[in-house]
Structures are given as structure tokens and as C-alpha cells.
Amino acid sequence: MDEKTKIAASPRECPKCKYLNELKVKFCQSCGEALIKLPKIPATKPKDATSIIGSNSKSKPINKETSLVGSYKKPKPYKLIMLDHSKKIEEEYLLEEGKTIGREEVDIILNDASVSRKHCEITIDGEKIRIEDLKSKNGVFVRIRETSELQPGDEIRIGNKLFRVEEV
């Protein structure tokens, strides 16, 4: 095998986590880091709404406080409470922007052998709380395998840990 063929057949090592990836992948299968250099696109400053409309237009300029796609509503704050076996509070986590849960490289780390490395993700969309199993081995609570909506007061089990969602 010549040197060029040997290089092409060897796995790609991630520059970030050193994981050996398959040749066909463009992003690290472990951490998601790009394995190929992507061209940088220069940033351009967006045009002001009045310059888009034009000075000869009879339309009024767009109010800069108003969004073209609707107003942004800050997500309602929630917290995730870890409970012990007698349902006493063990730990609390603020869920302002949502959190990933697992054993490593996540926002909420659980030292539990039945929890996957990246087990699940909780997201907040307005007043809706959603939990998604990230293809974990043991699932979330009753083996949730897809995105499910949560309500304040709902209890979920991740591995051997019990949590309750509450409004702040």
C-alpha cells in the first residue's frame, strides 16, 4: 500500500477530543467538532429597514422595536428538583434556557451507572417544557424515546434519580 492510500484509509482524529472517527464523517462522532475546515464567510452588516423600503416609498419606516416575525417572549423560568427516595429535596437546577443531563459533558451531571453519557435534554419554548431522550440506553422514566411535553408538578426518572419540575 503506498503512502497516499495509507493516509486515506486511516481514521480521522478529532483535533478537540482525539476520538478516532470513520473517514466518511465530517464531524466528530464523540464531541461534534468539525473535522474539516469550513471556509469563513465574512460578516455583513444588515441594511436598515428604511434603506430596504427606499426613500421614495410612501410606507412608514419599520419600528426597530417590532420584529418582522413576531415579538420574542422570554421563556418562563422553571427549576428541576432532584428528590431522594423519600421525596425530600436533594438538589435544585434552574432551567432558564434548558439543560442537557447525563454522566459527562452535559449541564447536569449525574453520577449514576444507569445514566448515559448524554442521556436527555430539557428545553423551554415559551411556557412549554419538553424533555427529549438523547438515544440513551435506559430511556427517561417510562422509557420515553421521543420528545414529550412536561407540566409543573410532573415527576421524571433519569437513571435511578427522581426529579420534579416546578415553576420558580
Side-chain angles (χ1 to χ4, degrees), residues 19-34:
Y19 181 82
L20 296 177
N21 295 277
E22 297 173 25
L23 273 177
K24 62 185 176 187
V25 298
K26 295 179 182 172
F27 295 92
C28 179
Q29 294 166 298
S30 177
C31 71
E33 182 76 12

PDB file of all heavy atoms in Angstrom, residues 19-34:
ATOM      1  N   TYR A  19     -10.743  11.635  19.452  1.00  0.00           N
ATOM      2  CA  TYR A  19     -11.505  10.429  19.093  1.00  0.00           C
ATOM      3  C   TYR A  19     -11.186  10.055  17.651  1.00  0.00           C
ATOM      4  O   TYR A  19     -11.063  10.918  16.792  1.00  0.00           O
ATOM      5  CB  TYR A  19     -13.007  10.713  19.247  1.00  0.00           C
ATOM      6  CG  TYR A  19     -13.895   9.537  18.938  1.00  0.00           C
ATOM      7  CD1 TYR A  19     -14.113   8.556  19.902  1.00  0.00           C
ATOM      8  CD2 TYR A  19     -14.515   9.395  17.704  1.00  0.00           C
ATOM      9  CE1 TYR A  19     -14.942   7.469  19.630  1.00  0.00           C
ATOM     10  CE2 TYR A  19     -15.332   8.318  17.423  1.00  0.00           C
ATOM     11  CZ  TYR A  19     -15.539   7.356  18.393  1.00  0.00           C
ATOM     12  OH  TYR A  19     -16.351   6.287  18.125  1.00  0.00           O
ATOM     13  N   LEU A  20     -11.032   8.749  17.373  1.00  0.00           N
ATOM     14  CA  LEU A  20     -10.771   8.284  16.015  1.00  0.00           C
ATOM     15  C   LEU A  20     -12.102   8.023  15.318  1.00  0.00           C
ATOM     16  O   LEU A  20     -12.840   7.123  15.687  1.00  0.00           O
ATOM     17  CB  LEU A  20      -9.909   7.022  16.034  1.00  0.00           C
ATOM     18  CG  LEU A  20      -8.497   7.205  16.601  1.00  0.00           C
ATOM     19  CD1 LEU A  20      -7.767   5.891  16.635  1.00  0.00           C
ATOM     20  CD2 LEU A  20      -7.716   8.227  15.791  1.00  0.00           C
ATOM     21  N   ASN A  21     -12.382   8.845  14.311  1.00  0.00           N
ATOM     22  CA  ASN A  21     -13.656   8.799  13.593  1.00  0.00           C
ATOM     23  C   ASN A  21     -13.527   8.057  12.274  1.00  0.00           C
ATOM     24  O   ASN A  21     -12.433   7.942  11.724  1.00  0.00           O
ATOM     25  CB  ASN A  21     -14.137  10.231  13.295  1.00  0.00           C
ATOM     26  CG  ASN A  21     -14.460  10.982  14.549  1.00  0.00           C
ATOM     27  OD1 ASN A  21     -15.544  10.842  15.087  1.00  0.00           O
ATOM     28  ND2 ASN A  21     -13.523  11.781  15.032  1.00  0.00           N
ATOM     29  N   GLU A  22     -14.669   7.593  11.750  1.00  0.00           N
ATOM     30  CA  GLU A  22     -14.693   6.992  10.419  1.00  0.00           C
ATOM     31  C   GLU A  22     -14.326   8.055   9.391  1.00  0.00           C
ATOM     32  O   GLU A  22     -14.553   9.242   9.597  1.00  0.00           O
ATOM     33  CB  GLU A  22     -16.091   6.463  10.122  1.00  0.00           C
ATOM     34  CG  GLU A  22     -16.538   5.355  11.039  1.00  0.00           C
ATOM     35  CD  GLU A  22     -17.999   4.979  10.798  1.00  0.00           C
ATOM     36  OE1 GLU A  22     -18.506   5.204   9.679  1.00  0.00           O
ATOM     37  OE2 GLU A  22     -18.608   4.464  11.741  1.00  0.00           O
ATOM     38  N   LEU A  23     -13.777   7.624   8.266  1.00  0.00           N
ATOM     39  CA  LEU A  23     -13.341   8.566   7.233  1.00  0.00           C
ATOM     40  C   LEU A  23     -14.470   9.384   6.631  1.00  0.00           C
ATOM     41  O   LEU A  23     -14.302  10.551   6.323  1.00  0.00           O
ATOM     42  CB  LEU A  23     -12.658   7.805   6.092  1.00  0.00           C
ATOM     43  CG  LEU A  23     -11.177   7.555   6.289  1.00  0.00           C
ATOM     44  CD1 LEU A  23     -10.638   6.740   5.143  1.00  0.00           C
ATOM     45  CD2 LEU A  23     -10.410   8.846   6.415  1.00  0.00           C
ATOM     46  N   LYS A  24     -15.644   8.793   6.471  1.00  0.00           N
ATOM     47  CA  LYS A  24     -16.731   9.456   5.764  1.00  0.00           C
ATOM     48  C   LYS A  24     -17.386  10.588   6.544  1.00  0.00           C
ATOM     49  O   LYS A  24     -18.113  11.382   5.987  1.00  0.00           O
ATOM     50  CB  LYS A  24     -17.794   8.440   5.359  1.00  0.00           C
ATOM     51  CG  LYS A  24     -18.445   7.740   6.530  1.00  0.00           C
ATOM     52  CD  LYS A  24     -19.406   6.671   6.091  1.00  0.00           C
ATOM     53  CE  LYS A  24     -19.954   5.953   7.316  1.00  0.00           C
ATOM     54  NZ  LYS A  24     -20.753   4.828   6.989  1.00  0.00           N
ATOM     55  N   VAL A  25     -17.145  10.700   7.863  1.00  0.00           N
ATOM     56  CA  VAL A  25     -17.821  11.714   8.670  1.00  0.00           C
ATOM     57  C   VAL A  25     -17.105  13.058   8.594  1.00  0.00           C
ATOM     58  O   VAL A  25     -15.898  13.112   8.424  1.00  0.00           O
ATOM     59  CB  VAL A  25     -17.979  11.271  10.150  1.00  0.00           C
ATOM     60  CG1 VAL A  25     -18.824  10.027  10.246  1.00  0.00           C
ATOM     61  CG2 VAL A  25     -16.638  11.057  10.809  1.00  0.00           C
ATOM     62  N   LYS A  26     -17.891  14.120   8.703  1.00  0.00           N
ATOM     63  CA  LYS A  26     -17.343  15.472   8.653  1.00  0.00           C
ATOM     64  C   LYS A  26     -17.261  16.102  10.033  1.00  0.00           C
ATOM     65  O   LYS A  26     -16.604  17.101  10.224  1.00  0.00           O
ATOM     66  CB  LYS A  26     -18.197  16.347   7.733  1.00  0.00           C
ATOM     67  CG  LYS A  26     -18.137  15.891   6.295  1.00  0.00           C
ATOM     68  CD  LYS A  26     -18.997  16.736   5.404  1.00  0.00           C
ATOM     69  CE  LYS A  26     -18.941  16.188   3.984  1.00  0.00           C
ATOM     70  NZ  LYS A  26     -19.870  16.820   3.088  1.00  0.00           N
ATOM     71  N   PHE A  27     -17.989  15.496  11.011  1.00  0.00           N
ATOM     72  CA  PHE A  27     -17.990  15.993  12.375  1.00  0.00           C
ATOM     73  C   PHE A  27     -17.658  14.836  13.307  1.00  0.00           C
ATOM     74  O   PHE A  27     -18.028  13.690  13.051  1.00  0.00           O
ATOM     75  CB  PHE A  27     -19.360  16.586  12.735  1.00  0.00           C
ATOM     76  CG  PHE A  27     -19.696  17.794  11.918  1.00  0.00           C
ATOM     77  CD1 PHE A  27     -20.412  17.675  10.730  1.00  0.00           C
ATOM     78  CD2 PHE A  27     -19.275  19.048  12.299  1.00  0.00           C
ATOM     79  CE1 PHE A  27     -20.715  18.776   9.962  1.00  0.00           C
ATOM     80  CE2 PHE A  27     -19.577  20.160  11.541  1.00  0.00           C
ATOM     81  CZ  PHE A  27     -20.287  20.032  10.367  1.00  0.00           C
ATOM     82  N   CYS A  28     -16.975  15.128  14.415  1.00  0.00           N
ATOM     83  CA  CYS A  28     -16.570  14.101  15.376  1.00  0.00           C
ATOM     84  C   CYS A  28     -17.794  13.356  15.900  1.00  0.00           C
ATOM     85  O   CYS A  28     -18.773  13.972  16.317  1.00  0.00           O
ATOM     86  CB  CYS A  28     -15.799  14.731  16.527  1.00  0.00           C
ATOM     87  SG  CYS A  28     -15.284  13.527  17.777  1.00  0.00           S
ATOM     88  N   GLN A  29     -17.707  12.036  15.896  1.00  0.00           N
ATOM     89  CA  GLN A  29     -18.809  11.209  16.370  1.00  0.00           C
ATOM     90  C   GLN A  29     -18.922  11.235  17.894  1.00  0.00           C
ATOM     91  O   GLN A  29     -19.921  10.812  18.440  1.00  0.00           O
ATOM     92  CB  GLN A  29     -18.610   9.763  15.886  1.00  0.00           C
ATOM     93  CG  GLN A  29     -18.704   9.656  14.380  1.00  0.00           C
ATOM     94  CD  GLN A  29     -18.195   8.333  13.857  1.00  0.00           C
ATOM     95  OE1 GLN A  29     -17.033   8.009  14.031  1.00  0.00           O
ATOM     96  NE2 GLN A  29     -19.069   7.582  13.217  1.00  0.00           N
ATOM     97  N   SER A  30     -17.910  11.751  18.565  1.00  0.00           N
ATOM     98  CA  SER A  30     -17.934  11.821  20.030  1.00  0.00           C
ATOM     99  C   SER A  30     -18.351  13.195  20.536  1.00  0.00           C
ATOM    100  O   SER A  30     -19.262  13.305  21.337  1.00  0.00           O
ATOM    101  CB  SER A  30     -16.553  11.464  20.579  1.00  0.00           C
ATOM    102  OG  SER A  30     -16.531  11.590  21.970  1.00  0.00           O
ATOM    103  N   CYS A  31     -17.691  14.262  20.033  1.00  0.00           N
ATOM    104  CA  CYS A  31     -17.961  15.590  20.594  1.00  0.00           C
ATOM    105  C   CYS A  31     -18.642  16.548  19.619  1.00  0.00           C
ATOM    106  O   CYS A  31     -19.062  17.631  20.015  1.00  0.00           O
ATOM    107  CB  CYS A  31     -16.673  16.226  21.106  1.00  0.00           C
ATOM    108  SG  CYS A  31     -15.527  16.735  19.805  1.00  0.00           S
ATOM    109  N   GLY A  32     -18.732  16.198  18.322  1.00  0.00           N
ATOM    110  CA  GLY A  32     -19.406  17.053  17.352  1.00  0.00           C
ATOM    111  C   GLY A  32     -18.534  18.100  16.696  1.00  0.00           C
ATOM    112  O   GLY A  32     -19.000  18.878  15.865  1.00  0.00           O
ATOM    113  N   GLU A  33     -17.260  18.150  17.031  1.00  0.00           N
ATOM    114  CA  GLU A  33     -16.322  19.120  16.457  1.00  0.00           C
ATOM    115  C   GLU A  33     -16.179  18.881  14.951  1.00  0.00           C
ATOM    116  O   GLU A  33     -16.161  17.741  14.488  1.00  0.00           O
ATOM    117  CB  GLU A  33     -14.956  18.960  17.146  1.00  0.00           C
ATOM    118  CG  GLU A  33     -13.897  19.931  16.697  1.00  0.00           C
ATOM    119  CD  GLU A  33     -14.067  21.326  17.260  1.00  0.00           C
ATOM    120  OE1 GLU A  33     -14.873  21.515  18.188  1.00  0.00           O
ATOM    121  OE2 GLU A  33     -13.385  22.225  16.772  1.00  0.00           O
ATOM    122  N   ALA A  34     -16.065  19.953  14.155  1.00  0.00           N
ATOM    123  CA  ALA A  34     -15.876  19.828  12.705  1.00  0.00           C
ATOM    124  C   ALA A  34     -14.512  19.198  12.436  1.00  0.00           C
ATOM    125  O   ALA A  34     -13.505  19.603  13.012  1.00  0.00           O
ATOM    126  CB  ALA A  34     -15.972  21.193  12.045  1.00  0.00           C
TER     127      ALA A  34
END
